[in-house]
Amino acid sequence: MPGSTYVRRVADLPRESRYSGAYERTGIVMDAANISFVWVAPDVYDGATDSEGHAPGHHHPFDQVVYVLEGEMRMWIGEKVHDLRAGDVVYIPRDVSHGGRPLNGKPVHIMEIFAPIRTDYLYIAEHQLADGAPPREPDGSRIDRRSMQQTRASVGDSKLTTHAEQKG
């Protein structure tokens, strides 16, 4: 999908912010998977946990890997509960119910990998997918002000052909 090298500092990537800033994420897309970097505040699920203190859960048709970068979290996966800390990794097969929340009143920073690509997460990787594209106008559109020669020179993932080559 992206097909070209993309190098940035994760901390500098634009983030989606939810739940009054208690949940933030950004992403990167690969040819067959996505990576999300997620920052979760300790109070993100206040008032929304079940009687055992577990965060709300979900399931999806994507394999998922969660790697804890910083902090500690409690995850329930299927019928089991796991307390994870920085350096721990967990694989969650597709369609298995799961949920997680920070532990010890401290934030948690995780990296999630999804395969195949979650198209519903592509918008959090727009910074990568639009790399090299003209900047957005105030209305959200893009206007490419490059000349035809500049545009042709920048097309690295397509073989430019002529009509005569197509007929042959």
Side-chain angles (χ1 to χ4, degrees), residues 15-110:
R15 298 181 191 181
E16 171 191 38
S17 180
R18 292 179 155 192
Y19 317 126
S20 301
Y23 179 97
E24 295 183 325
R25 69 179 171 192
T26 190
I28 298 291
V29 182
M30 298 181 288
D31 288 334
N34 325 52
I35 299 175
S36 296
F37 297 95
V38 183
W39 295 261
V40 185
D43 60 349
V44 68
Y45 295 118
D46 281 358
T49 58
D50 66 15
S51 61
E52 296 176 23
H54 300 295
H58 61 279
H59 62 88
H60 43 69
F62 306 96
D63 288 335
Q64 180 178 0
V65 169
V66 176
Y67 178 65
V68 181
L69 297 165
E70 184 179 2
E72 297 179 15
M73 67 183 297
R74 174 163 291 149
M75 282 199 80
W76 62 269
I77 304 164
E79 298 297 319
K80 295 188 178 180
V81 176
H82 307 271
D83 286 343
L84 307 171
R85 63 178 196 252
D88 289 344
V89 65
V90 61
Y91 165 67
I92 307 164
R94 64 189 66 219
D95 297 318
V96 172
S97 293
H98 58 281
R101 65 175 179 84
L103 279 178
N104 304 324
K106 296 181 181 172
V108 66
H109 180 198
I110 62 173

Side-chain angles (χ1 to χ4, degrees), residues 97-159:
S97 293
H98 58 281
R101 65 175 179 84
L103 279 178
N104 304 324
K106 296 181 181 172
V108 66
H109 180 198
I110 62 173
M111 178 176 70
E112 302 173 310
I113 302 170
F114 297 96
I117 290 176
R118 287 192 67 158
T119 56
D120 60 328
Y121 278 20
L122 290 179
Y123 72 96
I124 65 171
E126 185 191 21
H127 55 87
Q128 173 195 9
L129 298 173
D131 190 43
R136 288 205 180 274
E137 298 295 314
D139 68 357
S141 65
R142 296 183 194 275
I143 300 173
D144 193 340
R145 292 183 170 85
R146 297 174 294 177
S147 70
M148 179 63 76
Q149 291 80 11
Q150 291 170 317
T151 303
R152 288 182 67 106
S154 71
V155 179
D157 61 350
S158 299
K159 181 176 183 267

